Amino acid sequence: MKLRDRGIGVFDSGVGGLTVVREIMRLLPEERIVYLGDTARLPYGSKSPKVVDKFSSQALRFLLKQDLKLIVIACNTVSALSLRKLRKSSPLPLIGVLESGAKRGVEVTRNGIIGVIGTKATIRSRAYPKLIRSLAPQVKVISRSCPLLVPLVEEGWSKSKITYQVASIYLKPLLRQDIDTLILGCTHYPLLKGIFQDIVGEKVVLVDSAQEVAKKVKELLRRRNIRKRGGSPEHTFYISDISRRFVHMGRQILGRELNNLREVNLEEW
Ligand code: DGL
C-alpha cells in the first residue's frame, strides 16, 4: 500500500482519545483512523512511570502492525511519561499531545502566566513546565492535577453541578495566581470546556490540546506529501475491553456510531 493511503494510528488509555480523533476527522476527513484504547487498564493517570512505559510499549507494538503512516499518542499521560522511549522503538513518526499544547499556550499568553491541568502522573512528571520553559524561559507555569475529573467524565457527568463544583475547587488556586491561559492537559478535559470557561471567565484562554495536535498532524502530512487524496475512509476502533460505556461515550464524542469495533488483548503484545 502506498504510504499516503495508509492510516493514522491514534492511541489512548481509553475513550478520551476520541476527542483527538474528532478533531483529526474534522480537519482531515479523507484520512483513515485506526484507534486503540486500552480500556481494560485505564486509568493510566494514577499509575507509575514504569507501568505506563510497559503498557504503552505493548500498544505501540500492536499499532506498528496495522499499516499506518504515523501514530498520534493522544494520551497526555503517555506523552508526558513515555514518548521519548517510544520514539526510540518506532520507525514511524510519533506525535504526542504535549508539544502542540505547550506551543499554543506560549503563543496565546499575554501576561506570561500559564495554568496546566492534567492527571497526577502528567503533573508529577513536570513535562509541561519543562517544555514551556524550553520555548519561553520567562513564562511562569502553575500546574495542578485534577484526578476526580476523569472518573466524572467517564460516568457521563460532564454537565453536572457536582463536576462544576469539583472543577471550581481545582481551578480557584490557579486563578488566584492570575493565569491568563489554561492548558487542558488531559484527553477528557475538552469535554468539560464549557464548565472550565464558565469558571475561569472569558479573559482566560483555554488551550485544547486535541485541536492543536490535529493541526500538527495536518502539517506533518503536508510537509511529507503523504496526505490521502479523496475517498471515504473506513475507520477501525480497537479496544482492550469492549464495554457499553465505551460505545456510549464514543458515540457521544464522535457524534456517530463506532463501526468496526474490535477487541484486542494488549497483554499478548
Ligand atoms: N488519557 C489520560 C490522559 O490524557 C486520561 C485518562 C487516564 O488517566 O488514563 O492523561
Side-chain angles (χ1 to χ4, degrees):
M1 198 190 276
K2 275 194 204 148
L3 194 55
R4 68 167 67 245
D5 293 327
R6 291 189 185 180
I8 297 176
V10 178
F11 167 56
D12 181 43
S13 54
V15 66
L18 291 175
T19 55
V20 174
V21 170
R22 179 175 64 186
E23 299 305 328
I24 296 176
M25 284 175 170
R26 257 184 212 150
L27 266 188
L28 300 159
E30 65 287 348
E31 297 292 344
R32 184 170 59 85
I33 311 275
V34 176
Y35 186 79
L36 173 60
D38 192 3
T39 46
R41 303 186 291 190
L42 171 113
Y44 281 18
S46 54
K47 303 221 162 46
S48 69
K50 201 172 75 189
V51 169
V52 175
D53 277 352
K54 183 184 147 201
F55 288 177
S56 53
S57 303
Q58 289 173 321
L60 178 64
R61 282 198 284 277
F62 173 78
L63 283 173
L64 287 175
K65 295 279 184 226
Q66 307 303 318
D67 232 348
L68 304 173
K69 55 186 167 188
L70 74 98
I71 296 171
V72 177
I73 306 293
C75 180
N76 281 258
T77 304
V78 174
S79 298
L81 273 61
S82 313
L83 187 60
R84 229 189 288 156
K85 280 169 232 142
L86 294 176
R87 277 195 175 131
K88 283 189 191 147
S89 40
S90 174
L92 292 180
L94 295 190
I95 298 184
V97 270
L98 267 63
E99 285 117 339
S100 326
K103 190 164 155 263
R104 185 76 190 138
V106 167
E107 278 163 12
V108 299
T109 182
R110 288 142 290 143
N111 72 356
I113 310 177
I114 299 180
V116 178
I117 50 175
T119 63
K120 273 192 177 159
T122 299
I123 298 304
R124 213 177 278 146
S125 76
R126 306 210 45 80
Y128 267 111
K130 281 183 210 152
L131 262 173
I132 291 171
R133 286 210 199 90
S134 71
L135 296 168
Q138 74 286 359
V139 166
K140 193 168 157 194
V141 183
I142 320 282
S143 314
R144 177 118 210 231
S145 63
C146 308
L148 292 176
L149 295 182
V150 167
L152 285 166
V153 172
E154 294 270 326
E155 203 51 48
W157 288 16
S158 300
K159 296 202 165 74
S160 91
K161 214 170 156 188
I162 290 180
T163 306
Y164 186 97
Q165 286 164 348
V166 171
S168 294
I169 295 171
Y170 284 137
L171 293 177
K172 286 279 156 65
L174 278 72
L175 290 174
R176 278 199 292 274
Q177 303 232 39
D178 216 21
I179 58 161
D180 75 347
T181 305
L182 179 66
I183 298 179
L184 310 183
C186 175
T187 45
H188 289 59
Y189 299 171
L191 301 170
L192 299 175
K193 250 183 183 174
I195 286 186
F196 289 145
Q197 197 75 68
D198 243 34
I199 297 168
V200 299
E202 289 304 321
K203 283 192 190 131
V204 176
V205 179
L206 301 184
V207 175
D208 178 343
S209 310
Q211 278 172 352
E212 297 310 315
V213 88
K215 289 185 209 157
K216 195 164 173 183
V217 169
K218 186 174 176 185
E219 172 56 21
L220 189 137
L221 295 182
R222 190 197 58 77
R223 228 181 324 116
R224 299 196 175 200
N225 198 20
I226 51 171
R227 191 161 161 188
K228 190 161 176 286
R229 296 193 183 122
S232 39
E234 275 230 357
H235 310 297
T236 313
F237 300 89
Y238 288 98
I239 51 177
S240 50
D241 183 23
I242 297 186
S243 64
R244 246 193 236 188
R245 191 198 282 169
F246 181 91
V247 174
H248 176 72
M249 274 195 72
R251 202 184 294 134
Q252 227 177 15
I253 295 172
L254 293 182
R256 59 161 91 177
E257 286 305 320
L258 301 182
N259 300 321
N260 293 332
L261 190 58
R262 299 185 193 158
E263 203 162 65
V264 54
N265 181 0
L266 288 175
E267 297 286 352
E268 286 171 359
W269 285 80

